[in-house]
Amino acid sequence: MVLPLVIFCLKYQRIIIQKNRLFLYKTYVSKLRTKLDKKKSMSFSNSLIEDYWKEEKFVFNLNHSGKKELCKSCKVDFIDGNKEICLKCENHINIGSILPKLKYIEITDSSEAHIKILSNYGVKLHKDVPGESENFIYNINDSKIYPKLSNKFKFIANNVPMDNHKTISFDELGKKSIGTDKLAYLKADVDNLGSIFSLGFNKDVEGKMINKNNISRTTTLSRMLDIFFTGRISEIIKKKYENCYVVYSGGDDLFIIGPWSEIIDFSIYMEEEFRSFVGNNANITISAGISMANVSTPVSKVADYVEGELEESKGRIVKGEEYGKNHVTIFNRTMKWQDFKKAIDDGKKLTKWIKEGLMTHGDLWRLKEYDELFQDFYINGNVQGLKYKPFLAYHIGKKKKSNKDVREVVNWQESLFDMANPSLINLGVAMEYAVMASKGR
Ligand SMILES: [Zn+2]
């Protein structure tokens, strides 16, 4: 009799402890979120509230600094002596040269660290095998454990396009695209991540929603997403899209630059892979922004612009949908991924027809006119926009008369009379693609 009672008490005690832990975990997560939100909305609180107004924190007197010029690279810090760039930028260049060849990272004390984390600690980067050490060492992108050397491994997406062990310049990278030599910048991240973590573990138990969120579930989901953005993305680029330059990829987002045509193909493949990675769960989706740029445009400028494109993908509710997100924005248009794929397929078809002489650049510009007219009707409700139909019919008839059209092209053009056809709704995207892809350098 005593033993079952003891077992019952122990079991019951365990349940109480587990429930309390879960309760504490949820309470602390919620408290942390509130604190983070508060901190985010008070950017200058340290200087304006805690220390009150101190002019030297905001105004720098150049005459009293003893230094002459601003760094030519960041234009934020001052340079010492005859140098052209500041110490910070020098360090960034050094780190940047090691990262593509990174083999190990070592947690070490700050004196020999490339990147300082806390006042006493930092990370040392190794291109070669480090000497024996008692420090914590990670293998990079290699899951084997070498007992004498490393204790753990880590995936990092550090791909940069190389030629003969040298990083390819943006000028050369642009030339690797088809048609016009431009670059594309791609920014993407997982939609509704906060809600996925706070509500995603809810379980329907006999009609009642039970929150099953706990530390292990949260960290597992977080780690799995990180594995996709570090390990999987790195593998995809290594095998299929080796001209893509990873600025960063990890956690739940990525920022990649590459030849414009390759970035478009990569983005489509990346979304398909992500969908399959999350088991086609319709609640876990990804949104992206893609911006085209000349090879000489400063990265920071396009980076800001593409951030705006990503926000557009998240915020815009496309006609016929109830919610935003799960979108891609490119060429000033936001659309669902499957419509984007369709538009790019159409763009590739148009490019092929131009190369085969079945279409001319003049035909492409006509498509642009039809697109502008139709969009005026589709978005603004202006019935004048429907004029695209007689124009299109006239154009098809004219081509037929001069025997310059073939069935495949006519069929595609005739499909544009259907106003629910995604090829018509995103005609501008297909047309922009074809213009860029069929243009000489
Ligand atoms: Zn600098």
Side-chain angles (χ1 to χ4, degrees):
M1 188 63 202
V2 178
L3 190 65
L5 191 66
V6 170
I7 291 171
F8 174 79
C9 287
L10 282 173
K11 203 175 164 187
Y12 192 63
Q13 189 188 22
R14 213 182 68 213
I15 291 168
I16 290 177
I17 290 171
Q18 275 178 351
K19 279 200 168 174
N20 278 342
R21 274 185 196 150
L22 194 59
F23 175 73
L24 277 175
Y25 172 64
K26 283 180 206 160
T27 314
Y28 280 112
V29 166
S30 154
K31 275 186 184 172
L32 264 174
R33 195 164 293 140
T34 314
K35 274 195 169 182
L36 265 175
D37 287 345
K38 199 172 163 191
K39 188 97 187 165
K40 267 190 213 164
S41 60
M42 298 168 72
S43 312
F44 293 103
S45 65
N46 281 353
S47 305
L48 296 173
I49 299 171
E50 287 161 26
D51 275 2
Y52 303 104
W53 176 265
K54 283 184 180 162
E55 196 166 284
E56 62 271 22
K57 286 197 170 186
F58 298 91
V59 182
F60 191 82
N61 193 333
L62 198 55
N63 297 331
H64 297 161
S65 71
K67 294 176 181 179
K68 287 168 197 156
E69 273 183 78
L70 276 176
C71 164
K72 292 208 164 46
S73 176
C74 63
K75 296 190 172 65
V76 172
D77 283 343
F78 290 93
I79 49 172
D80 283 329
N82 297 326
K83 289 183 174 174
E84 295 224 316
I85 54 171
C86 67
L87 282 173
K88 255 190 213 161
C89 286
E90 254 181 22
N91 191 34
H92 287 168
I93 290 172
N94 184 28
I95 292 170
S97 69
I98 302 172
L99 279 178
K101 299 163 194 157
L102 188 66
K103 291 266 168 33
Y104 302 92
I105 57 175
E106 180 178 355
I107 309 297
T108 176
D109 66 57
S110 61
S111 62
E112 49 177 12
H114 288 98
I115 304 159
K116 285 177 184 156
I117 302 176
L118 300 166
S119 56
N120 294 329
Y121 295 97
V123 172
K124 193 176 174 185
L125 311 169
H126 295 275
K127 289 190 276 188
D128 306 304
V129 182
E132 261 188 58
S133 145
E134 291 197 346
N135 287 338
F136 217 57
I137 297 176
Y138 288 85
N139 297 336
I140 300 304
N141 298 338
D142 172 8
S143 54
K144 266 190 218 154
I145 295 293
Y146 305 96
K148 280 195 174 166
L149 183 65
S150 53
N151 332 68
K152 288 192 101 182
F153 67 89
K154 198 165 178 41
F155 293 121
I156 291 181
N158 57 343
N159 314 58
V160 297
M162 308 276 267
D163 188 16
N164 252 340
H165 306 292
K166 272 182 87 183
T167 307
I168 297 178
S169 70
F170 273 14
D171 273 337
E172 293 162 56
L173 209 58
K175 289 181 188 137
K176 290 188 183 287
S177 58
I178 56 168
T180 182
D181 48 353
K182 288 203 179 212
L183 297 175
Y185 288 51
L186 163 72
K187 260 193 173 187
D189 71 20
V190 176
D191 297 318
N192 305 317
L193 199 65
S195 308
I196 292 170
F197 277 109
S198 58
L199 307 168
F201 299 110
N202 283 2
K203 204 174 176 188
D204 190 342
V205 180
E206 292 164 5
K208 214 175 151 193
M209 275 299 178
I210 308 285
N211 191 338
K212 293 273 182 185
N213 196 357
N214 59 27
I215 296 173
S216 68
R217 285 194 170 103
T218 302
T219 49
T220 303
L221 177 61
S222 170
R223 267 191 219 122
M224 292 305 285
L225 284 175
D226 187 62
I227 284 174
F228 178 82
F229 284 98
T230 53
R232 188 71 194 124
I233 290 291
S234 182
E235 276 304 296
I236 294 171
I237 290 177
K238 223 183 276 167
K239 287 185 181 150
K240 283 176 75 96
Y241 304 98
E242 53 179 19
N243 292 313
C244 287
Y245 191 120
V246 180
V247 182
Y248 67 75
S249 182
D252 72 313
D253 59 352
L254 57 78
F255 178 20
I256 293 174
I257 303 172
W260 72 269
S261 49
E262 198 165 321
I263 285 287
I264 287 181
D265 291 342
F266 167 76
S267 69
I268 291 172
Y269 190 76
M270 177 272 298
E271 193 272 338
E272 283 168 1
E273 283 285 298
F274 183 75
R275 228 168 341 111
S276 124
F277 187 79
V278 298
N280 287 305
N281 186 329
N283 296 310
I284 312 181
T285 56
I286 194 164
S287 286
I290 301 174
S291 299
M292 303 296 157
N294 288 326
V295 292
S296 54
T297 313
V299 174
S300 57
K301 220 175 182 176
V302 195
D304 284 346
Y305 189 78
V306 72
E307 183 65 43
E309 303 274 70
L310 176 58
E311 277 168 27
E312 195 69 13
S313 284
K314 303 255 177 203
R316 184 177 285 266
I317 297 173
V318 172
K319 204 172 170 183
E321 283 184 41
E322 283 179 45
Y323 309 102
K325 302 182 183 169
N326 196 15
H327 288 149
V328 56
T329 299
I330 184 170
F331 301 130
N332 290 323
R333 202 160 300 187
T334 303
M335 69 215 97
K336 288 187 272 188
W337 282 99
Q338 68 260 36
D339 292 342
F340 174 54
K341 281 171 214 164
K342 180 90 185 67
I344 297 305
D345 281 347
D346 285 340
K348 288 181 179 174
K349 237 188 278 180
L350 293 172
T351 312
K352 184 176 143 264
W353 290 336
I354 284 177
K355 282 184 183 158
E356 291 170 354
L358 304 176
M359 263 189 149
T360 63
H361 279 98
D363 294 333
L364 279 187
W365 292 113
R366 246 172 237 122
L367 288 178
K368 188 176 169 62
E369 282 168 29
Y370 305 155
D371 175 62
E372 281 170 3
L373 281 168
F374 176 71
Q375 288 299 314
D376 196 17
F377 168 73
Y378 187 70
I379 303 294
N380 310 321
N382 182 2
V383 286
Q384 291 287 328
L386 289 174
K387 275 186 188 166
Y388 93 90
K389 284 194 177 194
F391 288 153
L392 177 64
Y394 174 74
H395 180 60
I396 295 173
K398 208 174 148 196
K399 283 263 171 181
K400 269 185 191 165
K401 236 183 193 175
S402 58
N403 240 349
K404 275 188 181 158
D405 224 330
V406 287
R407 201 61 244 167
E408 193 190 6
V409 182
V410 174
N411 281 349
W412 182 80
Q413 284 174 320
E414 283 177 349
S415 77
L416 301 179
F417 288 119
D418 173 5
M419 290 196 290
N421 180 3
S423 289
L424 171 68
I425 295 168
N426 295 305
L427 186 59
V429 175
M431 185 261 161
E432 295 278 2
Y433 183 98
V435 167
M436 285 179 76
S438 59
K439 212 175 184 177
R441 295 193 189 285

